[in-house]
């Protein structure tokens, strides 16, 4: 996109927010970089240059615009659609792998050499893995500076910087303000209110409009595992297992953002927690591109026009979702929740939640691999499926995460006993974030298809759905939404 100068200029001149995060506009005369929708007067085309990432702008010596704050743009939707090594590398960097394991750790996860990764990222994004991680650290630091009373020295290390001097220099270079000046500006902008609860961080998660919240939050609330998830105070709340500790997040839909409130046992987990929440709510999607494609089918178009911007509910932990998918095979939503709640109570790690009713972290594969099969109130075949799955996840022979090749993961899942196309595809859709995952054999999808006049058999529906690619997972959401199931409605407070 950033190499198509004419298209980029049109987007900037029309302040098109659809391209926020897709490319960045750097202004040669002011040495500032902006998002395409910056409310300021657009610069002259001859003074613009376009970059594929904020890190590329920073590497070229530009600083972030103080007005449009391009560092807070939604992430590029390309990394969700693409499944190549560069896309997987970007998802891992967003997860904070470079900060925790360095570039060698990133290379090891991808099966590449550090030189290959450096060359590929530089070619596509104008910055290598260290520069991309540095840009993310700067954004994490800004969030902590502006939303918490944490001492600035602690912010530096929580954001992933190795020294206070590097922290000060980076913040000054990226934002043209010192950390102290950033905090002072945030204090002036925010009205006086009660002091924040110690250990909590409140922030706004941006997205590309439109966003239809009904099926997104409805699905999460209707399938919530007691003790791990709940709907309370107009927000979806859940516990999080994180690299340095654990946390609790509350996510609530707003007109132009998602309100996010995080309570972390270790602030170094902030970037990772944000990344997981964004994947859970599919916030980096491009709903305009998705809906435009699906509207070309005349039978889907009315569904899209009725409620544009549907998202695919994701997962904060692919291994957890895989376990829950097995527990949900051929049973009702209520039964799946009951089975999962029993595992949580017996094998999950207890947590304190002064603000709600959350009690446990979802148990790890290692904890579940040691359970007694006779303790499972499941059919024998389902027990075998579950124990084989958690055993493979625990010993590393099966991995499900942002670095994993989706087709390879599908093949490994299908090789496990009790895994058919439905279970494999629902994991690909919600745990691996594949926007083209498809469930032609799902009963709800088939009923909706027949009701619309679409083919009702899996083979015929798959053939028809070829025209919906690469967005078939979104088509599933629109088809599911034709039913009056609780997953399709924002819950009442009593939920």
């Amino acid at each position: 996109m950033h190499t198509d100068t004419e298209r980029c200029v049109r987007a900037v001149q029309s302040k098109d927010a659809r391209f926020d995060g897709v490319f960045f506009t750097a202004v040669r005369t002011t040495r500032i970089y902006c998002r395409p929708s910056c409310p300021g007067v657009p610069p002259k085309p001859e003074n613009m240059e376009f970059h594929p990432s904020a890190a590329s702008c920073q590497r070229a010596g530009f600083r972030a615009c103080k007005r449009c704050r391009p560092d807070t743009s939604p992430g590029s939707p390309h990394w969700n659609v693409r499944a190549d090594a560069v896309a997987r590398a970007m998802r891992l960097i967003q997860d904070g792998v470079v900060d925790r394991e360095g570039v060698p750790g990133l290379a090891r996860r991808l099966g590449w050499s550090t030189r290959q990764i450096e060359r590929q990222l530089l070619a596509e994004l104008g910055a290598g893995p260290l520069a991309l991680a540095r840009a993310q650290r700067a954004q994490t630091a800004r969030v902590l500076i502006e939303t918490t009373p944490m001492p600035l020295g602690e912010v530096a290390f929580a954001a992933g910087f190795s020294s206070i001097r590097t922290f000060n220099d980076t913040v000054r270079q990226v934002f043209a303000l010192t950390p102290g000046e950033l905090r002072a500006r945030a204090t002036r902008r925010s009205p006086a209110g009660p002091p924040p609860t110690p250990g909590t961080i409140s922030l706004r998660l941006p997205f590309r409009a439109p966003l239809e919240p009904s099926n997104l939050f409805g699905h999460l609330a209707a399938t919530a595992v007691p003790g791990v998830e709940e709907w309370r105070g107009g927000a979806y709340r859940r516990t999080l297992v994180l690299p340095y500790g654990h946390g609790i997040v509350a996510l609530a839909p707003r007109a132009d953002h998602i309100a996010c409130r995080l309570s972390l046992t270790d602030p170094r987990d902030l970037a990772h927690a944000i990344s997981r929440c964004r994947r859970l709510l599919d916030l980096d999607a491009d709903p305009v591109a998705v809906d435009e494609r699906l509207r070309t089918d005349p039978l889907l178009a009315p569904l899209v026009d009725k409620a544009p911007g549907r998202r695919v509910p994701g997962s904060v932990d692919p291994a957890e979702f895989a376990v829950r998918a097995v527990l949900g095979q051929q049973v009702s939503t209520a039964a799946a929740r009951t089975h999962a709640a029993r595992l949580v109570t017996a094998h999950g790690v207890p947590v304190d939640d002064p603000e709600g009713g959350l009690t446990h972290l979802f148990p790890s594969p290692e904890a579940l691999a040691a359970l007694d099969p006779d303790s499972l109130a499941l059919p024998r075949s389902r027990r075998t499926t579950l124990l084989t799955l958690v055993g493979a996840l625990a010993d590393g022979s099966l991995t499900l995460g942002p670095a994993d090749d989706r087709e390879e993961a599908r093949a490994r899942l299908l090789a496990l006993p009790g895994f058919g196309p439905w279970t494999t595809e629902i994991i690909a859709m919600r745990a691996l974030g594949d926007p083209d995952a498809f469930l032609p054999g799902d009963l709800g999808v088939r009923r909706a298809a027949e009701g619309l006049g679409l083919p009702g058999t899996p083979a015929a529906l798959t053939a028809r759905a070829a025209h919906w690619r690469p967005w078939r997972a979104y088509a599933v959401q629109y088809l599911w939404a034709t039913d009056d199931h609780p997953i399709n409605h924002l819950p009442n407070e009593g939920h």
Side-chain angles (χ1 to χ4, degrees):
M1 172 70 193
H2 74 285
T3 58
D4 188 340
T5 301
E6 184 178 341
R7 189 179 177 196
C8 288
V9 168
R10 287 200 305 269
V12 171
Q13 291 177 336
S14 62
K15 303 184 188 299
D16 195 333
R18 291 179 300 168
F19 296 100
D20 288 355
V22 177
F23 72 88
F24 296 82
T25 308
V27 185
R28 299 188 184 100
T29 51
T30 61
R31 307 305 296 173
I32 291 172
Y33 73 94
C34 302
R35 59 171 78 200
S37 66
C38 181
V41 177
K44 296 179 179 178
E46 59 266 27
N47 293 331
M48 300 182 199
E49 62 182 66
F50 304 104
H51 292 256
S53 66
S56 175
C57 295
Q58 294 166 18
R59 184 170 176 267
F62 296 90
R63 68 168 178 81
C65 174
K66 297 176 183 176
R67 188 170 183 183
C68 72
R69 298 178 59 160
D71 50 301
T72 62
S73 299
S76 173
H78 299 310
W79 311 130
N80 293 339
V81 179
R82 289 172 48 178
D84 56 25
V86 171
R88 284 150 48 207
M90 280 302 298
R91 293 197 289 268
L92 284 171
I93 292 170
Q94 290 166 353
D95 261 0
V97 166
V98 171
D99 290 334
R100 295 191 302 274
E101 304 173 23
V103 178
L106 176 66
R108 186 169 54 252
R109 288 178 177 240
L110 293 169
W112 279 20
S113 71
T114 56
R115 185 175 180 182
Q116 281 178 305
I117 290 174
E118 185 79 32
R119 185 171 62 247
Q120 290 286 336
L121 291 179
L122 202 57
E124 287 216 34
L125 292 158
L130 289 176
L132 290 162
R134 175 181 179 267
Q136 180 162 289
R137 283 196 296 273
Q139 169 58 10
T140 302
R142 182 173 197 161
V143 171
L144 291 171
I145 289 167
E146 295 183 339
T147 64
T148 76
M150 187 184 297
L152 295 178
E154 294 181 20
V155 168
F157 297 108
F161 290 96
S162 58
S163 71
I164 293 177
R165 179 177 179 179
T166 304
F167 162 69
N168 288 331
D169 290 347
T170 299
V171 170
R172 191 160 40 239
Q173 289 168 10
V174 173
F175 304 115
L177 293 168
T178 66
E181 289 169 338
L182 264 182
R183 177 159 282 173
R185 281 169 57 94
T187 302
R188 288 196 298 270
R189 282 199 308 266
S190 302
T197 305
T200 63
I201 301 166
S202 296
L203 59 150
R204 297 156 61 106
L205 302 182
F207 56 76
R208 292 178 185 82
L211 183 145
E212 171 54 52
S214 58
N215 73 300
L216 180 60
F217 285 91
H219 205 121
L220 296 174
T223 61
V225 176
V228 174
E229 303 166 286
E230 69 175 1
W231 181 267
R232 183 183 293 263
Y236 165 76
R237 303 178 73 246
R238 71 155 293 146
T239 58
L240 301 170
V241 180
L242 299 165
Y244 295 107
H246 67 266
I248 292 174
V249 66
L251 299 162
R254 299 288 184 262
D256 61 352
H257 68 280
I258 300 296
C260 174
R261 191 166 185 270
L262 281 161
S263 175
L264 303 174
T265 56
D266 191 320
R268 290 178 296 174
D269 283 321
L270 177 61
H272 190 82
I274 292 173
S275 174
R276 290 193 178 193
C277 292
R278 295 194 66 81
R279 283 206 298 270
L280 174 71
L281 301 181
D282 196 19
L283 297 185
D284 292 327
D286 183 350
V288 174
V290 171
D291 290 351
E292 282 180 352
R293 183 65 175 173
L294 298 184
R295 277 193 185 97
T296 62
D297 190 315
L299 297 181
L300 281 185
L303 302 183
V304 177
D305 292 337
K306 181 180 178 181
R310 291 196 185 277
R311 299 301 206 267
V312 178
S315 169
V316 296
D317 186 334
E320 173 194 315
F321 185 81
V323 170
R324 293 171 61 173
V326 170
L327 295 175
Q329 288 177 335
Q330 300 177 345
V331 298
S332 67
T333 299
R337 294 177 68 211
T338 299
H339 290 317
R342 288 172 181 159
L343 288 183
V344 166
T345 302
H347 303 282
V349 176
V351 298
D352 293 325
D353 177 22
E355 299 181 2
L358 304 179
T359 59
H360 289 80
L361 303 176
F362 197 87
S364 66
E366 293 76 13
L368 294 176
L371 61 80
D372 178 3
D374 292 332
S375 67
L376 297 172
L378 298 170
R380 186 178 299 276
S381 61
R382 193 81 44 76
R383 294 183 203 174
T384 301
T385 300
L386 180 63
L387 291 174
T388 305
L389 170 66
V390 296
L393 290 168
D395 67 21
S397 58
L398 172 66
T399 56
L400 301 171
D404 292 295
D405 182 276
R406 290 165 179 164
E407 292 310 313
E408 183 178 336
R410 277 183 169 92
R412 289 181 181 272
L413 288 168
L414 284 169
L416 298 176
F419 272 78
W422 184 91
T423 308
T424 300
E425 285 302 299
I426 198 70
I427 292 172
M429 178 189 294
R430 295 197 53 197
L432 299 178
D434 186 349
D436 202 39
F438 193 49
L439 303 169
D442 179 83
L443 182 59
V445 170
R446 293 176 62 185
R447 284 177 177 170
E450 291 173 353
L452 292 172
L454 290 163
T457 65
L461 185 57
T462 299
R464 173 65 174 258
H467 186 65
W468 306 339
R469 305 189 76 166
W471 310 118
R472 293 183 301 175
Y474 294 87
V476 169
Q477 306 308 313
Y478 281 106
L479 291 171
W480 273 340
T482 61
D483 191 10
D484 194 32
H485 193 281
I487 66 168
N488 293 316
H489 304 286
L490 277 172
N492 297 321
E493 200 49 56
H495 258 60

